[in-house]
């Protein structure tokens, strides 16, 4: 239905621009960079039709689920349309301080390209078994950047967490909205203090899963 | 349909969609869109150069970049990016527009396609690319340009034409279609018609806040403050659907176009405030400039 109306609109638009060659109300502009001739009008109509068809065509992917690959610059604009559940899985970096407290670390320790690009890259790499490599890389970067806010972090974990959305939005503590935490890679931050025995709340075995 | 009726319809459409306009109308759009490109790419140059050096395992080409089987050498990608800054400057200044217009459009499309080929397809540069395509292929440098100065010895030639009035129409038609697709996507994305009750939008706000915080970014305090008020999300969802599904009506009348522009501009600033998601081209207002500069329809013939 969308495509058919788009096609109708496009063909009407093209016929309108083409029909202008018979419309006496459009005098030829003297000295314009493009001459106002029947041919240039037809070409303008065809180019317009081609552009609008290209913009509308990805509409055929609508309703195709999450398997349909998006494209650029002609997209079917799936943002904000997916159905959401009560929980959400996120793959991210967790920093552990010497006293055993933990907190999420900034995504830029994991890659470049902005939050969403890094999020997807990391998810894919963890799925491919690169968790330990990512953790080593992040730990080395953390030591090299030496940001004051992260100076207390002595160990990093690459984790995939399952979090409950509603308690999170209502400001509950992290332990209350975390239902699973899978560790896919861990590394000590070079040159930092040693974690006191038994203080790591996550553990350091690759693939370990904490369930609550 | 009789030929006289078809002629009347075509004539009415021409009066509204391609009204007589001064050559400064597309020229202002060229300067705004070209200037935006320079700001946007210039500001993100370092980020893009970092993306060019991302692990090749993350390369998943989209759009024009699908001709590639593996990433370009970073130095080549960097050079193409910098070349688009040069063509962007020539496009904005209106230098040899019949050549630099299409060239700039092609380079911009390539560079943004390439940038989007690393795991995530972003949606904030689509309309910039569509606008540049239209301006690059049309007589958008007949005023306020080096070309006009050279040819007419003035930056402000007095000529008027339907061509100059049709340019904002085509830009607006492309943008309206993208909004329409985004609106229909909400009904076909799994939630169906229930998307309109706002629960899905509320869930999106919550998901986005959660992943931001887990990835070390701060989420919006406004999003958290509004979260308990389901009714507000129902109102916002209904408004955004009306705006998106009704986007094509913005072409029918230039006043409706301005109303749509105001609504869409406000919606994107609302998204920014509640979710901290930035659509920079929309937020800058340049995206909506063709709606504001759209001339009124020509008077009826005879």
């Amino acid at each position: 239905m969308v495509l058919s109306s788009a096609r109708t609109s496009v063909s009407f638009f093209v016929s309108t621009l083409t029909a202008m060659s018979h419309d006496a109300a459009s005098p030829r502009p003297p000295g314009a960079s493009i001459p106002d001739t029947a041919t240039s009008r037809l070409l303008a109509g065809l180019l317009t039709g081609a552009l609008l068809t290209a913009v509308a065509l990805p509409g055929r992917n609508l309703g195709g689920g999450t398997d349909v690959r998006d494209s650029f610059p002609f997209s079917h604009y799936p943002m904000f349309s997916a159905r959401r559940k009560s929980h959400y899985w996120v793959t991210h970096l967790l920093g552990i301080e010497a006293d055993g407290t933990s907190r999420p670390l900034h995504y830029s320790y994991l890659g470049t390209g902005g939050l969403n690009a890094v999020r997807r890259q990391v998810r894919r790499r963890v799925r491919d078994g690169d968790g330990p490599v990512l953790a080593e890389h992040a730990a080395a970067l953390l030591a090299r950047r030496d940001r004051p806010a992260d100076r207390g972090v002595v160990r990093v974990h690459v984790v995939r967490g399952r979090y409950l959305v509603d308690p999170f939005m209502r400001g509950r503590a992290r332990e209350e909205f975390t239902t699973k935490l899978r560790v896919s890679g861990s590394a000590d931050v070079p040159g930092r203090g040693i974690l006191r025995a038994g203080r790591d709340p996550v553990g350091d075995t690759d693939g370990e899963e904490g369930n609550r | 349909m009789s030929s006289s009726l078809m002629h009347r319809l075509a004539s009415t459409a021409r009066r509204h969609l391609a009204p007589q306009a001064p050559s400064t109308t597309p020229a202002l759009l060229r300067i705004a869109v070209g200037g935006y490109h320079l700001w946007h790419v210039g500001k993100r140059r370092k980020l893009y150069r970092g993306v060019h050096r991302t692990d090749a395992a993350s390369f998943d080409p989209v759009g024009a970049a699908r001709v590639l089987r593996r990433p370009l050498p970073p130095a080549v990608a960097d050079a193409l990016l910098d070349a688009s800054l040069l063509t962007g400057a020539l496009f904005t200044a209106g230098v040899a527009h019949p050549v630099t217009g299409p060239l700039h459009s092609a380079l911009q499309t390539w560079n943004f396609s390439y940038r989007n080929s690393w795991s995530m397809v972003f949606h904030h540069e689509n309309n910039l690319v569509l606008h540049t395509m239209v301006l690059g292929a049309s007589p958008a440098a007949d005023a306020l340009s080096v070309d006009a100065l050279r040819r007419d010895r003035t930056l402000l030639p007095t000529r008027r034409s339907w061509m100059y009035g049709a340019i904002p129409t085509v830009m607006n038609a492309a943008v309206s279609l993208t909004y329409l697709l985004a609106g229909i996507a909400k009904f076909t994305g799994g939630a169906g018609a229930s998307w309109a009750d706002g629960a899905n939008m509320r869930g999106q706000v919550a998901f986005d806040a959660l992943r931001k915080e887990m990835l070390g970014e701060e989420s919006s305090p406004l999003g958290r403050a509004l979260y308990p008020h389901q009714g507000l999300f129902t109102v916002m969802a209904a408004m955004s659907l009306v705006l998106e599904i009704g986007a094509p009506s913005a072409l029918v009348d230039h006043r409706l176009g301005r109303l749509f522009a105001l609504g869409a501009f406000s919606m994107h600033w609302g998204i920014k405030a509640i979710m901290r998601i930035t659509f920079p081209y929309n937020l800058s207002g340049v995206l909506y400039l063709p709606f504001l500069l759209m001339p009124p329809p020509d008077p009826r013939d005879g």
Side-chain angles (χ1 to χ4, degrees):
Chain A
M1 187 193 78
V2 179
L3 277 181
S4 132
S5 3
R7 276 194 202 113
T8 310
S9 315
V10 166
S11 54
F12 179 70
F13 200 78
V14 172
S15 70
T16 301
L17 283 173
T18 310
M20 286 190 307
S21 60
H22 305 294
D23 195 328
S26 311
R28 178 188 173 123
S33 61
I34 295 178
D36 185 9
T37 62
T39 308
S40 60
R41 289 175 178 212
L42 181 63
L43 192 61
L46 290 174
L47 284 175
T48 301
L51 175 70
L52 298 185
T53 304
V55 175
L57 269 180
R60 69 186 189 275
N61 296 329
L62 293 172
T66 51
D67 293 339
V68 179
R69 179 90 205 279
D70 198 5
S71 192
F72 182 89
F74 306 115
S75 165
H76 57 287
Y77 301 94
M79 68 276 196
F80 306 142
S81 63
R83 194 185 191 97
R84 294 305 188 184
K85 296 177 183 166
S86 59
H87 67 270
Y88 188 55
W89 286 95
V90 196
T91 305
H92 64 97
L93 200 58
L94 208 54
I96 313 293
E97 305 212 357
D99 62 0
T101 54
S102 68
R103 61 188 164 84
L105 295 175
H106 199 260
Y107 67 87
S108 61
Y109 289 122
L110 290 167
T112 52
L115 182 143
N116 281 311
V118 171
R119 177 172 63 84
R120 291 187 179 215
Q121 285 165 20
V122 167
R123 190 175 60 193
R124 185 156 61 187
R125 290 195 62 185
V126 165
R127 206 171 48 212
D128 294 344
D130 280 349
V133 180
L134 282 170
E136 290 289 345
H137 167 82
L141 200 55
L142 203 124
R144 200 162 62 238
R145 283 188 187 164
D146 199 28
R147 285 181 181 160
D150 297 332
R151 269 184 199 146
V153 177
V154 295
R155 179 179 289 174
V156 298
H157 295 292
V158 174
V159 297
R160 184 160 162 72
R162 183 182 186 272
Y163 302 108
L164 297 174
V165 176
D166 196 67
F168 164 78
M169 285 303 278
R170 292 181 191 280
R172 304 275 164 73
R174 189 146 44 88
E175 304 79 55
E176 287 182 60
F177 63 78
T178 305
T179 57
K180 284 183 183 177
L181 208 56
R182 293 176 182 164
V183 183
S184 56
S186 306
D188 289 331
V189 180
R192 297 272 169 94
I194 299 165
L195 193 65
R196 273 174 264 160
R199 288 299 178 100
D200 189 339
V202 178
D204 58 2
T205 310
D206 291 353
E208 179 176 323
E209 181 173 324
N211 287 295
R212 292 182 67 250
Chain B
M1 196 183 289
S2 75
S3 68
S4 73
L5 179 61
M6 187 66 168
H7 184 76
R8 274 214 310 277
L9 276 175
S11 186
T12 304
R14 187 205 63 74
R15 287 192 303 105
H16 282 81
L17 302 177
Q20 295 281 321
S23 51
T24 47
T25 298
L28 285 169
L29 294 172
R30 186 198 80 243
I31 291 167
V33 172
Y36 179 85
H37 170 91
L38 293 174
W39 174 78
H40 184 88
V41 175
K43 188 180 166 194
R44 291 166 178 78
R45 187 168 171 268
K46 194 177 161 195
L47 172 80
Y48 294 153
R49 288 169 69 94
V51 171
H52 298 163
R53 285 154 181 80
T54 306
D55 185 349
S58 299
F59 186 65
D60 192 5
V62 294
R66 288 181 73 176
V67 297
L68 297 175
R69 287 189 180 171
R70 61 183 71 88
L72 293 170
V76 174
D78 291 349
L80 289 169
L81 183 72
D82 289 344
S84 88
L85 286 171
L86 178 65
T87 58
L90 296 173
F91 172 90
T92 308
V95 180
H97 186 76
V99 175
T100 56
L103 180 65
H104 174 56
S105 170
L107 262 176
Q108 186 193 62
T109 305
W110 172 266
N111 284 329
F112 286 147
S113 299
Y114 190 72
R115 185 264 182 277
N116 280 309
S117 296
W118 302 87
S119 301
M120 171 87 187
V121 180
F122 293 90
H123 296 103
H124 58 255
E125 284 145 352
N126 301 52
N127 283 317
L128 171 62
V129 168
L130 297 178
H131 275 178
T132 307
M133 281 179 179
V134 177
L135 291 166
S138 60
D142 284 3
L144 301 172
S145 65
V146 173
D147 285 357
L149 205 56
R150 232 174 21 209
R151 196 175 53 225
D152 304 316
R153 308 255 176 255
T154 173
L155 286 171
L156 299 166
T158 52
R159 69 177 71 98
R160 294 172 67 84
S161 167
W162 65 267
M163 285 193 279
Y164 305 133
I167 293 170
T169 298
V170 179
M171 295 167 83
N172 294 340
V175 168
S176 300
L177 268 177
T178 64
Y179 275 91
L180 177 64
L181 287 177
I184 296 170
K186 292 181 174 66
F187 286 118
T188 56
S194 71
W195 199 94
D197 71 14
N200 219 59
M201 180 190 267
R202 185 167 168 260
Q204 291 284 349
V205 169
F207 270 60
D208 190 72
L210 175 61
R211 68 186 170 208
K212 274 195 173 81
E213 295 219 355
M214 290 302 125
L215 287 156
E217 287 265 289
E218 207 179 324
S219 64
S220 162
L222 184 59
R224 275 181 187 268
L226 296 182
Y227 181 79
H229 308 287
Q230 168 70 47
L232 270 177
F233 287 91
T234 307
V235 172
M236 289 191 288
M239 282 170 67
S240 76
L241 281 176
V242 167
L243 193 78
E244 289 176 333
I245 303 291
S249 68
L251 294 177
V252 176
D253 184 277
H254 71 289
R255 287 160 299 191
L256 274 177
R258 285 170 193 176
L259 194 63
F260 165 78
L262 179 67
F265 184 64
S266 309
M267 179 175 84
H268 284 286
W269 273 102
I271 293 171
K272 166 91 173 159
I274 295 171
M275 300 176 80
R276 290 202 169 162
I277 292 180
T278 303
F279 289 83
Y281 193 51
N282 309 52
L283 295 177
S284 72
V286 178
L287 171 60
Y288 307 107
L289 208 52
F291 288 102
L292 303 184
L293 294 184
M294 186 67 207
D298 285 339
R300 284 178 197 280
D301 302 334

